[in-house]
Amino acid sequence: DSMAPLAVVVSRIPLNAGERMFVAAPLFHTWGLAAFQLCLGLRGTLHVKRRFDPATAIAHVAQHKCTSLFAVPVMLQRLVEHGEDAPTLKVVASSGSALPGALASRFMQVFGHKLYNLYGSTEASWVSIATPDDLVNAPGTAGRPPHGTRVAIVDNRGRPVPPGRIGWIFAGNDMMFEGYTDGPSRK
C-alpha cells in the first residue's frame, strides 16, 4: 500500500536501495519480519541463517559484503564477545528487547558508530529510534520518535506529566495495531 512506513524508518536509519541485509533476528518475530519488509521495500538482498552463531554471522557478512545487520541485543552481546569486526557493515539495527547502555557502548567500541536502536511494540510498531550519536550521548536511550510518531507520558487520568516524573507511555503513528481477537470470534 504505502511506502510511508519505509520512509519513516530510513529517515532515522540510513538504509539504501539495494541493501545487502543480514537478518539475524528471527523472521517469526516482529523485528525480523520488519527487517524482511524493509529489505523488500528497498529492493535489497536478504541473507538469513537458521541459527545465530557470531563467528558464522561475521563470516557470512564478510563473504557476501552485507551492509546491514538486524539483530536482537543478546546477539549483539555474542558478537562483542566474539570480538571480530565486520567492516562492510554500515548499519547494525537492534530491537526486540531492551538494549543495555553498557552493551551499546561496548558494541560501538568494537564495531564503530553504526549501531541503531529501535524501540517499539507489536501494537505501535516503532516508537523511537536511537542513532549512534544518540547512543554516544546517552548509551541507555531508546532514542527519539521518528517523523509521524507521537509520544506522551501521562498520569492515571491521561494528563501529561512534567519531565522527570513517572507516568504511562502513550504512543501512536500510522502503523497502529488494529487489535486482538478473543479467539473463536475472529472477524
Side-chain angles (χ1 to χ4, degrees):
D1 87 24
S2 168
M3 295 300 281
L6 174 63
V8 169
V9 173
V10 300
S11 75
R12 300 276 297 152
I13 302 175
L15 298 166
N16 298 302
E19 195 83 30
R20 290 180 303 280
M21 303 170 93
F22 183 78
V23 179
L27 294 178
F28 64 80
H29 187 272
T30 300
W31 183 229
L33 181 60
F36 170 73
Q37 292 170 322
L38 286 169
C39 188
L40 289 176
L42 292 168
R43 295 182 19 223
T45 303
L46 179 70
H47 294 262
V48 295
K49 290 281 186 191
R50 182 174 292 279
R51 296 190 184 279
F52 179 78
D53 171 74
T56 303
I58 294 295
H60 187 92
V61 163
Q63 177 185 359
H64 297 281
K65 296 178 177 55
C66 294
T67 51
S68 59
L69 167 68
F70 287 73
V72 297
V74 70
M75 294 171 175
L76 300 183
Q77 178 64 46
R78 293 187 61 204
L79 286 167
V80 166
E81 291 167 359
H82 180 67
E84 185 180 350
D85 191 8
T88 63
L89 288 176
K90 295 179 177 137
V91 167
V92 176
S94 176
S95 191
S97 65
L99 176 63
L103 175 57
S105 295
R106 183 72 184 115
F107 186 88
M108 290 193 296
Q109 287 172 355
V110 174
F111 289 89
H113 291 196
K114 53 183 97 172
L115 182 59
Y116 295 80
N117 184 32
L118 188 141
Y119 167 76
S121 67
T122 299
E123 296 81 6
S125 192
W126 52 77
V127 173
S128 63
I129 301 173
T131 66
D133 288 342
D134 295 331
L135 292 167
V136 165
N137 292 324
T141 188
R144 293 172 287 171
H147 179 73
T149 297
R150 298 158 312 281
V151 175
I153 311 300
V154 299
D155 64 19
N156 288 338
R157 294 185 180 174
R159 297 175 302 206
V161 299
R165 299 290 305 267
I166 294 173
W168 296 92
I169 300 172
F170 277 70
N173 57 36
D174 291 339
M175 295 293 295
M176 293 299 290
F177 182 69
E178 291 186 21
Y180 293 97
T181 69
D182 63 359
S185 64
R186 293 181 206 154
K187 295 177 183 175

